[in-house]
Amino acid sequence: MKLQQIKVDENNNEIVLFTTDQFNSLNANLVIAFGERIFLEKTLPYQKIKGLYPNATIVICSTSGQISNSNLVQNNLVATAISFEKTKIKASEIDILLNPDIKLLGKKIKDDLLSDDLKSILVISEGSLINGTELINELILQTREAVPIFGGLAGDEYNFEKTIVGLNSDASPGKIVAIGFYGDNIHFGFASEGGWSDFGPEREVTYSEKNVLYKIGDRFALDLYKEYLGKYAEELPGSSLYFPLSMKENATSEPVVRTILSIDEEKKSMTFAGDIPIGSKVRLMKGNFDKLIDASYNAASLIHNNQSNKPELALLVSCVGRKIVLGDRIEEEIEVVREVFGDNMLICGFYSYGEISPTLNKVACELHNQTMTITTIYES
């Protein structure tokens, strides 16, 4: 596997950030490019990338920040080109503005990608219109829970207006892209960690509809949430990024973090970036800088300690909420990943509206919020 990473500015000038020996741009067969939505709409970078890597499948995704090999990049596009030596890839794209039926979406990905030698699927999805939980559940169903799925939902900086994704074209709204990886020579490592601390008692969800939470126990969800937030309740919904919710679907489930997207004062409900099923158990969470950064270190260490070969590439997908909370210390969660894996591995990634990664108890995947998810890749 040969790799190259470039940065492209608004004047279409490229700077090489990383390249392996004997990398040939004509042999690149996959390019993953990340940039802020307004930047992508202004520069329309597809033709530039296509000119640099003419034979590659090109995925372009809007973000809340780009992760390069050394740091966080703002106001520029970061493109990572991969030349697989022994691995085949296939791509599928769905436009949910043309057809929002989640079952047809799943069937198209199944028809386009599923085969006996499918090893894993990368999903880069628009992040404004899709219910992330429904997307993940449908993909798990269509792949019979046998294929690990990773990736994330596109971001829009802190604007929360619209997100855009493109496959072999400039990015546009409503697109979901899936890339299948095939053969026995490609290997993956997965980890996801949050670093948030629970506080308050565990309570049962008694009334919800998909990702809208109405009641916890016998209390309206928003009333209970405000009671625990105290002075921070006056700053809702913005302050909710500092206090996400931990959710367990059942007694044996691993807890996942759910970010609050909006609140409804009239209905006293909260809308989350993922489903909150009736009967699930929830607890409030809070974070501090050190624990959030430690979580990134722990996720990297989990892969490093359980993978015999050294990975060549790491895809980091972290949450916009972590970026907001960590503020000036945000690059530290990237630096600790580098500390674990060393300097010979290429890092790429983005800040998202939702992270997709397998968990210990789920071979396929789970939708995460407020986490650092890491996928490592190497060929044997």
Side-chain angles (χ1 to χ4, degrees), residues 242-377:
Y242 296 87
F243 300 95
L245 216 62
S246 169
M247 183 201 73
K248 293 175 64 175
E249 284 195 37
N250 53 60
T252 60
S253 299
E254 286 290 317
V256 295
V257 184
R258 288 286 177 260
T259 298
I260 300 162
L261 299 179
S262 62
I263 61 173
D264 188 322
E265 293 282 1
E266 183 178 342
K267 296 179 180 178
K268 298 187 177 182
S269 65
M270 301 185 293
T271 300
F272 290 82
D275 285 358
I276 308 281
I278 292 174
S280 60
K281 301 299 175 74
V282 295
R283 295 182 72 180
L284 271 74
M285 309 185 82
K286 59 183 176 181
N288 66 54
F289 297 145
D290 291 336
K291 285 188 176 180
L292 293 175
I293 294 166
D294 286 346
S296 297
Y297 181 89
N298 293 339
S301 297
L302 184 62
I303 298 176
H304 180 72
N305 295 336
N306 289 281
Q307 203 167 50
S308 55
N309 290 63
K310 291 185 176 180
E312 298 166 273
L313 174 68
L315 174 68
L316 277 54
V317 183
S318 188
C319 182
V320 60
R322 296 173 68 88
K323 186 167 178 255
I324 291 171
V325 172
L326 285 170
D328 292 340
R329 294 187 64 183
I330 188 62
E331 290 193 353
E332 291 185 43
E333 76 164 2
I334 305 169
E335 292 166 359
V336 295
V337 174
R338 166 66 65 207
E339 180 183 330
V340 172
F341 289 115
D343 295 329
N344 295 324
M345 183 187 67
L346 175 61
I347 290 176
C348 67
F350 71 108
Y351 284 86
S352 74
Y353 284 178
E355 305 83 63
I356 300 170
S357 175
T359 60
L360 291 176
N361 291 342
K362 285 195 175 184
V363 172
C365 65
E366 182 71 78
L367 176 71
H368 305 270
N369 301 136
Q370 299 278 30
T371 61
M372 165 65 84
T373 65
I374 302 174
T375 299
T376 58
I377 305 173

Side-chain angles (χ1 to χ4, degrees), residues 22-177:
Q22 300 177 334
F23 179 85
N24 185 337
S25 60
L26 296 177
N27 294 333
N29 43 19
L30 178 62
V31 176
I32 309 171
F34 299 116
E36 282 101 337
R37 188 259 304 173
I38 293 173
F39 177 90
L40 296 179
E41 291 178 328
K42 179 182 178 181
T43 60
L44 299 175
Y46 172 70
Q47 290 300 330
K48 172 71 173 182
I49 301 170
K50 184 68 175 175
L52 294 171
Y53 309 104
N55 300 314
T57 295
I58 299 169
V59 183
I60 301 175
C61 174
S62 70
T63 78
S64 295
Q66 299 73 252
I67 297 172
S68 76
N69 194 49
S70 56
N71 54 20
L72 182 68
V73 174
Q74 304 284 78
N75 303 318
N76 290 283
L77 175 140
V78 175
T80 301
I82 308 168
S83 177
F84 290 109
E85 298 173 276
K86 303 173 184 178
T87 301
K88 295 187 302 178
I89 64 167
K90 292 181 186 176
S92 179
E93 183 184 56
I94 301 97
D95 189 334
I96 62 171
L97 295 179
L98 296 178
N99 193 335
D101 189 329
I102 197 76
K103 295 189 180 300
L104 291 179
L105 180 155
K107 185 177 185 304
K108 176 168 173 48
I109 290 179
K110 176 184 177 182
D111 292 344
D112 289 350
L113 301 184
L114 197 62
S115 69
D116 291 340
D117 59 343
L118 176 63
K119 200 69 177 286
S120 188
I121 298 175
L122 166 63
V123 173
I124 301 292
S125 171
E126 75 84 36
S128 303
L129 306 171
I130 195 73
N131 180 318
T133 302
E134 289 184 349
L135 169 65
I136 292 309
N137 288 343
E138 184 62 26
L139 292 177
I140 291 172
L141 176 66
Q142 295 291 351
T143 55
R144 302 189 294 269
E145 300 187 43
V147 179
I149 302 168
F150 65 99
L153 309 185
D156 182 25
E157 190 50 31
Y158 304 144
N159 300 313
F160 296 94
E161 293 174 3
K162 65 176 178 177
T163 59
I164 55 176
V165 173
L167 174 64
N168 296 324
S169 68
D170 281 302
S172 59
K175 302 296 195 302
I176 299 172
V177 173

